[in-house]
PDB file of all heavy atoms in Angstrom:
ATOM      1  N   ASP A  86      27.924   9.343 -62.327  1.00 97.00           N
ATOM      2  CA  ASP A  86      26.526   9.310 -61.909  1.00 97.00           C
ATOM      3  C   ASP A  86      26.211   8.065 -61.074  1.00 97.00           C
ATOM      4  O   ASP A  86      25.098   7.944 -60.533  1.00 97.00           O
ATOM      5  CB  ASP A  86      25.598   9.321 -63.135  1.00 97.00           C
ATOM      6  CG  ASP A  86      25.805  10.552 -64.001  1.00 97.00           C
ATOM      7  OD1 ASP A  86      26.188  11.609 -63.459  1.00 97.00           O
ATOM      8  OD2 ASP A  86      25.601  10.448 -65.230  1.00 97.00           O
ATOM      9  N   SER A  87      27.157   7.174 -60.985  1.00 97.00           N
ATOM     10  CA  SER A  87      26.948   5.947 -60.198  1.00 97.00           C
ATOM     11  C   SER A  87      26.678   6.323 -58.748  1.00 97.00           C
ATOM     12  O   SER A  87      27.469   7.026 -58.113  1.00 97.00           O
ATOM     13  CB  SER A  87      28.179   5.034 -60.287  1.00 97.00           C
ATOM     14  OG  SER A  87      28.394   4.618 -61.620  1.00 97.00           O
ATOM     15  N   ALA A  88      25.559   5.837 -58.223  1.00 97.00           N
ATOM     16  CA  ALA A  88      25.109   6.203 -56.880  1.00 97.00           C
ATOM     17  C   ALA A  88      23.845   5.409 -56.585  1.00 97.00           C
ATOM     18  O   ALA A  88      23.338   4.670 -57.431  1.00 97.00           O
ATOM     19  CB  ALA A  88      24.801   7.703 -56.804  1.00 97.00           C
ATOM     20  N   VAL A  89      23.339   5.592 -55.367  1.00 95.00           N
ATOM     21  CA  VAL A  89      22.005   5.094 -55.041  1.00 95.00           C
ATOM     22  C   VAL A  89      21.057   6.288 -55.079  1.00 95.00           C
ATOM     23  O   VAL A  89      21.321   7.311 -54.423  1.00 95.00           O
ATOM     24  CB  VAL A  89      21.953   4.406 -53.673  1.00 95.00           C
ATOM     25  CG1 VAL A  89      20.553   3.881 -53.396  1.00 95.00           C
ATOM     26  CG2 VAL A  89      22.969   3.269 -53.605  1.00 95.00           C
ATOM     27  N   TYR A  90      19.992   6.152 -55.822  1.00 97.00           N
ATOM     28  CA  TYR A  90      19.009   7.229 -55.971  1.00 97.00           C
ATOM     29  C   TYR A  90      17.755   6.852 -55.185  1.00 97.00           C
ATOM     30  O   TYR A  90      17.180   5.785 -55.374  1.00 97.00           O
ATOM     31  CB  TYR A  90      18.680   7.448 -57.450  1.00 97.00           C
ATOM     32  CG  TYR A  90      19.844   8.035 -58.210  1.00 97.00           C
ATOM     33  CD1 TYR A  90      20.882   7.219 -58.657  1.00 97.00           C
ATOM     34  CD2 TYR A  90      19.920   9.404 -58.447  1.00 97.00           C
ATOM     35  CE1 TYR A  90      21.967   7.761 -59.330  1.00 97.00           C
ATOM     36  CE2 TYR A  90      21.003   9.951 -59.124  1.00 97.00           C
ATOM     37  CZ  TYR A  90      22.021   9.127 -59.559  1.00 97.00           C
ATOM     38  OH  TYR A  90      23.099   9.663 -60.217  1.00 97.00           O
ATOM     39  N   PHE A  91      17.367   7.750 -54.288  1.00 96.00           N
ATOM     40  CA  PHE A  91      16.197   7.520 -53.454  1.00 96.00           C
ATOM     41  C   PHE A  91      15.084   8.487 -53.810  1.00 96.00           C
ATOM     42  O   PHE A  91      15.321   9.664 -54.109  1.00 96.00           O
ATOM     43  CB  PHE A  91      16.539   7.719 -51.975  1.00 96.00           C
ATOM     44  CG  PHE A  91      17.376   6.632 -51.382  1.00 96.00           C
ATOM     45  CD1 PHE A  91      18.727   6.822 -51.151  1.00 96.00           C
ATOM     46  CD2 PHE A  91      16.803   5.414 -51.039  1.00 96.00           C
ATOM     47  CE1 PHE A  91      19.502   5.816 -50.601  1.00 96.00           C
ATOM     48  CE2 PHE A  91      17.573   4.406 -50.480  1.00 96.00           C
ATOM     49  CZ  PHE A  91      18.918   4.604 -50.268  1.00 96.00           C
ATOM     50  N   CYS A  92      13.896   7.979 -53.722  1.00 96.00           N
ATOM     51  CA  CYS A  92      12.697   8.787 -53.824  1.00 96.00           C
ATOM     52  C   CYS A  92      12.038   8.776 -52.439  1.00 96.00           C
ATOM     53  O   CYS A  92      12.086   7.755 -51.732  1.00 96.00           O
ATOM     54  CB  CYS A  92      11.778   8.168 -54.869  1.00 96.00           C
ATOM     55  SG  CYS A  92      10.173   8.932 -55.027  1.00 96.00           S
ATOM     56  N   ALA A  93      11.464   9.892 -52.041  1.00 95.00           N
ATOM     57  CA  ALA A  93      10.780   9.971 -50.756  1.00 95.00           C
ATOM     58  C   ALA A  93       9.524  10.804 -50.927  1.00 95.00           C
ATOM     59  O   ALA A  93       9.460  11.683 -51.793  1.00 95.00           O
ATOM     60  CB  ALA A  93      11.692  10.596 -49.697  1.00 95.00           C
ATOM     61  N   SER A  94       8.522  10.541 -50.098  1.00 95.00           N
ATOM     62  CA  SER A  94       7.307  11.341 -50.164  1.00 95.00           C
ATOM     63  C   SER A  94       6.866  11.748 -48.771  1.00 95.00           C
ATOM     64  O   SER A  94       7.290  11.157 -47.763  1.00 95.00           O
ATOM     65  CB  SER A  94       6.189  10.589 -50.899  1.00 95.00           C
ATOM     66  OG  SER A  94       5.723   9.464 -50.157  1.00 95.00           O
ATOM     67  N   ARG A  95       6.020  12.780 -48.730  1.00 91.00           N
ATOM     68  CA  ARG A  95       5.535  13.333 -47.468  1.00 91.00           C
ATOM     69  C   ARG A  95       4.083  13.727 -47.648  1.00 91.00           C
ATOM     70  O   ARG A  95       3.694  14.195 -48.717  1.00 91.00           O
ATOM     71  CB  ARG A  95       6.388  14.558 -47.098  1.00 91.00           C
ATOM     72  CG  ARG A  95       6.150  15.103 -45.716  1.00 91.00           C
ATOM     73  CD  ARG A  95       7.039  16.296 -45.439  1.00 91.00           C
ATOM     74  NE  ARG A  95       6.559  17.489 -46.118  1.00 91.00           N
ATOM     75  CZ  ARG A  95       7.345  18.517 -46.443  1.00 91.00           C
ATOM     76  NH1 ARG A  95       8.629  18.487 -46.164  1.00 91.00           N
ATOM     77  NH2 ARG A  95       6.842  19.573 -47.043  1.00 91.00           N
ATOM     78  N   PRO A  96       3.260  13.585 -46.596  1.00 87.00           N
ATOM     79  CA  PRO A  96       1.831  13.774 -46.776  1.00 87.00           C
ATOM     80  C   PRO A  96       1.368  15.208 -46.964  1.00 87.00           C
ATOM     81  O   PRO A  96       0.273  15.424 -47.482  1.00 87.00           O
ATOM     82  CB  PRO A  96       1.222  13.171 -45.504  1.00 87.00           C
ATOM     83  CG  PRO A  96       2.316  13.164 -44.514  1.00 87.00           C
ATOM     84  CD  PRO A  96       3.587  13.032 -45.273  1.00 87.00           C
ATOM     85  N   GLY A  97       2.122  16.213 -46.522  1.00 80.00           N
ATOM     86  CA  GLY A  97       1.598  17.553 -46.635  1.00 80.00           C
ATOM     87  C   GLY A  97       2.655  18.593 -46.365  1.00 80.00           C
ATOM     88  O   GLY A  97       3.838  18.284 -46.276  1.00 80.00           O
ATOM     89  N   PRO A  98       2.232  19.839 -46.192  1.00 72.00           N
ATOM     90  CA  PRO A  98       3.201  20.923 -46.043  1.00 72.00           C
ATOM     91  C   PRO A  98       3.866  20.971 -44.679  1.00 72.00           C
ATOM     92  O   PRO A  98       4.876  21.646 -44.504  1.00 72.00           O
ATOM     93  CB  PRO A  98       2.353  22.181 -46.268  1.00 72.00           C
ATOM     94  CG  PRO A  98       0.969  21.776 -45.872  1.00 72.00           C
ATOM     95  CD  PRO A  98       0.846  20.338 -46.252  1.00 72.00           C
ATOM     96  N   ASP A  99       3.310  20.301 -43.691  1.00 70.00           N
ATOM     97  CA  ASP A  99       3.909  20.357 -42.365  1.00 70.00           C
ATOM     98  C   ASP A  99       5.246  19.646 -42.352  1.00 70.00           C
ATOM     99  O   ASP A  99       5.318  18.429 -42.536  1.00 70.00           O
ATOM    100  CB  ASP A  99       2.971  19.739 -41.340  1.00 70.00           C
ATOM    101  CG  ASP A  99       1.689  20.539 -41.195  1.00 70.00           C
ATOM    102  OD1 ASP A  99       1.795  21.776 -41.080  1.00 70.00           O
ATOM    103  OD2 ASP A  99       0.616  19.942 -41.206  1.00 70.00           O
ATOM    104  N   ARG A 100       6.292  20.427 -42.133  1.00 69.00           N
ATOM    105  CA  ARG A 100       7.641  19.892 -42.288  1.00 69.00           C
ATOM    106  C   ARG A 100       7.989  18.852 -41.241  1.00 69.00           C
ATOM    107  O   ARG A 100       8.903  18.077 -41.417  1.00 69.00           O
ATOM    108  CB  ARG A 100       8.669  21.021 -42.225  1.00 69.00           C
ATOM    109  CG  ARG A 100       8.735  21.852 -43.490  1.00 69.00           C
ATOM    110  CD  ARG A 100       7.647  22.891 -43.540  1.00 69.00           C
ATOM    111  NE  ARG A 100       7.752  23.753 -44.716  1.00 69.00           N
ATOM    112  CZ  ARG A 100       6.860  24.677 -45.034  1.00 69.00           C
ATOM    113  NH1 ARG A 100       5.825  24.882 -44.248  1.00 69.00           N
ATOM    114  NH2 ARG A 100       7.020  25.420 -46.109  1.00 69.00           N
ATOM    115  N   TYR A 101       7.263  18.819 -40.155  1.00 69.00           N
ATOM    116  CA  TYR A 101       7.641  17.880 -39.098  1.00 69.00           C
ATOM    117  C   TYR A 101       7.199  16.457 -39.360  1.00 69.00           C
ATOM    118  O   TYR A 101       7.445  15.581 -38.562  1.00 69.00           O
ATOM    119  CB  TYR A 101       7.124  18.361 -37.741  1.00 69.00           C
ATOM    120  CG  TYR A 101       5.637  18.590 -37.649  1.00 69.00           C
ATOM    121  CD1 TYR A 101       4.749  17.534 -37.637  1.00 69.00           C
ATOM    122  CD2 TYR A 101       5.143  19.874 -37.536  1.00 69.00           C
ATOM    123  CE1 TYR A 101       3.400  17.754 -37.544  1.00 69.00           C
ATOM    124  CE2 TYR A 101       3.775  20.101 -37.428  1.00 69.00           C
ATOM    125  CZ  TYR A 101       2.904  19.031 -37.432  1.00 69.00           C
ATOM    126  OH  TYR A 101       1.572  19.249 -37.326  1.00 69.00           O
ATOM    127  N   TYR A 102       6.494  16.213 -40.478  1.00 75.00           N
ATOM    128  CA  TYR A 102       6.115  14.828 -40.763  1.00 75.00           C
ATOM    129  C   TYR A 102       7.321  13.943 -41.038  1.00 75.00           C
ATOM    130  O   TYR A 102       7.280  12.742 -40.838  1.00 75.00           O
ATOM    131  CB  TYR A 102       5.197  14.761 -41.980  1.00 75.00           C
ATOM    132  CG  TYR A 102       3.761  15.127 -41.713  1.00 75.00           C
ATOM    133  CD1 TYR A 102       3.142  16.123 -42.438  1.00 75.00           C
ATOM    134  CD2 TYR A 102       3.019  14.461 -40.757  1.00 75.00           C
ATOM    135  CE1 TYR A 102       1.818  16.463 -42.209  1.00 75.00           C
ATOM    136  CE2 TYR A 102       1.694  14.793 -40.514  1.00 75.00           C
ATOM    137  CZ  TYR A 102       1.095  15.792 -41.245  1.00 75.00           C
ATOM    138  OH  TYR A 102      -0.208  16.129 -41.031  1.00 75.00           O
ATOM    139  N   GLY A 103       8.379  14.540 -41.570  1.00 79.00           N
ATOM    140  CA  GLY A 103       9.462  13.694 -42.039  1.00 79.00           C
ATOM    141  C   GLY A 103       9.078  13.027 -43.355  1.00 79.00           C
ATOM    142  O   GLY A 103       7.979  13.237 -43.882  1.00 79.00           O
TER     143      GLY A 103
END
Side-chain angles (χ1 to χ4, degrees):
Chain A
D86 301 330
S87 297
V89 181
Y90 291 81
F91 287 104
C92 174
S94 68
R95 189 179 76 204
D99 295 313
R100 284 81 177 175
Y101 57 72
Y102 281 125

